Amino acid sequence: MRQQQVLAELSDRSLDVRRGAVRAGMDAAGERIDSDSGSDDHGSLTETLDELFRTAAERIRSTLGTDSCYVLEVDSAHEFFHVRAGARRTGDLNEMGPIPVDPDTQLGVTLVSPEPILVDEFTTDDRFVRAGPPVEDEAASGLGVRIDTGRRDREADGRGVSASGAAPGTDESSRDTAGGRGTWGVLGTYSTTPREFSEGEIAFVEAVANLLALTVERTRAERRRKEEQTRRNNVLETSPIGITLINAEGRHVFSNDRAEEILGRSIEELETYTHNDERWDLVDENGEQMSFDELPFSRVKETKEPVYDEIVGIRRSSDERVWLLIHCSPLFDVDGEFDGVIYAFRDITERRELESRLEEILGRVDEAVCAFDEDLQYTHVNERAEELLQRPADELLGEKLWEQFPESASENVVRESFERAMESQEQTSYEHYYEPADLWLEVTIYPSETGASVYFRDITDRKKYQRRLEESNERLEQFAYAASHDLQEPLRMITSYLRLIENRYADELDQDGREFIEYAVDGAERMQGMIDGLLQFSRVETQGEPFEPVDLEDVLADVRRDLRMQIEESEAEIAAGELPRVEGDGNQLRQVFQNLLSNAIEYADDEPPQVHISAHDTGKEWVISVRDNGSGIEPADQERIFGLFQRRHDSDEQTGSGLGLALCKRIIERHGGEIWVESEPGEGATFSFTLPTRLGPKQESASGSESASKSVN
């Protein structure tokens, strides 16, 4: 009778613990907890799990008349016991740290045994050396029972009788915990004098162990349920998508924060709304008022099927129109009856406004515009595009680009431009001769994650002008070459006769006469230099070498050898970083480096020249820079100096033709790059130029320009 009363008492306490876990969300699921750490909300309202353990240990000890009883929890690795509760006949239980699991002790064997481990007398039992800590070494007899949280054979009252009638510890009742799976710990009671435990006493201890396991299991499950609920609530509340629940009567019962923000109403206000409330002012994507039967809730309730990607407009309390993209799914109760719906929606107001503006803009633009989806199917063709392509929009919409224009698919520049734009998601442009309309088109592709917008315009007139300009430039170059070539002979004659006069009549000339002769000779030599420079300038395009790989470090080494005397006389310091290999004309690039390096030395201040050469790869081109410590250049002169017969300063006393930088510019432009200077007066100057990391169309295909010329003549 005493044992039944104890089991009834412990069952009530277990129920209180489980109820408390449900109400307060206590973390009492078998993890080690401090019985004194519970908050007032937890501990003051209900029994804690540790209090149940202490009560159980004390009731077993007093009921069976043993000297001690312990509740031990094992860690997940089954390496250490932790004392959760204990009761002794005499003396208090001292606080103990982790206790190693010893398989040679009675407690260690109990941990892996589905059957109770009974020891009538430790001194005569060959199975164990001793009981094992925390049991005192003077313990003579003991009973150990494993606490299994994985068993499914316990009655709700925890009294240890299975629903099938099987006794605890049988094969049927313990198969889920064989080998220790689901084992939480051990319940053991001990006596300091030898004694025997009756079957009723063994069953009593097993029943208490089952009750403790059931309590741990239920509180653990409740903890997991609450954690899962917390995670779900966090997901709902932090979701960037608005989520609302509408019950079967069409009333709001839940809205997350994002839904309140999108709908422009608090949850308290939303709870006063029905799904078809007139205050919503619901309209479809065309702006038409929606009837009751058209509403997503009504359709889902009628069909019991979800509605996806529905666009509706609602009215906020501020009278602002908001457009939503909605998913609406049905909810059902345990009997399968309709229980409401869950709405998930996004605010697409900004997208709708942008689409509307885009359509308006596309309708007004003068350029031809086509839009494509991610499969390059036409989704939009404006009137100008119809005109240039000579194809009506209704023939193209929904069709694939390469199927409609197979000839374009076979042209590398077209197909590669589209592929590069879509892969890199970067704007790409190219020029294309469209033979059906006898037009040159400039095409720009603007890719996006959902497709691409393509703008193109007729540049035939520009191409014709460019061709005429090229022909004019060719004629000018021919004239400049011829003129400079024809000027050389009379200039050489003038110089020769001046030298002859100087040599034969020097003794007969006074000081002024000799100076006049020197001025004339110097002027003739300067003119000779200008003519030579002009010849070089005119030959950049016509007599340049084919492009090939050029090592700029080798080019710089050659230039340094050529300028060795100038470098040594000026005591110049030349430093250079690592320079790349590029495609180009080695002789012309040597001229560029020589002109820039010579200028840097020539225009140095009183200090010895210091020149630094560096290279930087931007991913699309190389930027080569030559920095000096010279006198610098005024901002107003920084474009002028690249013109013909221009010098760094109008009042330059230095010699030179004024063609060096103009020649550099022309050479760099031939290589598809550009050149510029950055400087402040007195702070030196940095001349930089670019060279492509790969050849452009101009260098890759000279034949292409010939075929193009036929189309624009």
Side-chain angles (χ1 to χ4, degrees), residues 360-375:
E360 181 182 352
I361 292 170
L362 292 179
R364 294 201 310 260
V365 295
D366 294 330
E367 290 185 346
V369 181
C370 293
F372 299 88
D373 63 16
E374 56 188 3
D375 296 321

Side-chain angles (χ1 to χ4, degrees), residues 400-415:
K400 291 189 175 182
L401 169 63
W402 307 129
E403 293 176 358
Q404 293 301 306
F405 297 94
E407 67 279 1
S408 296
S410 63
E411 294 192 31
N412 290 339
V413 67
V414 178
R415 186 136 201 163

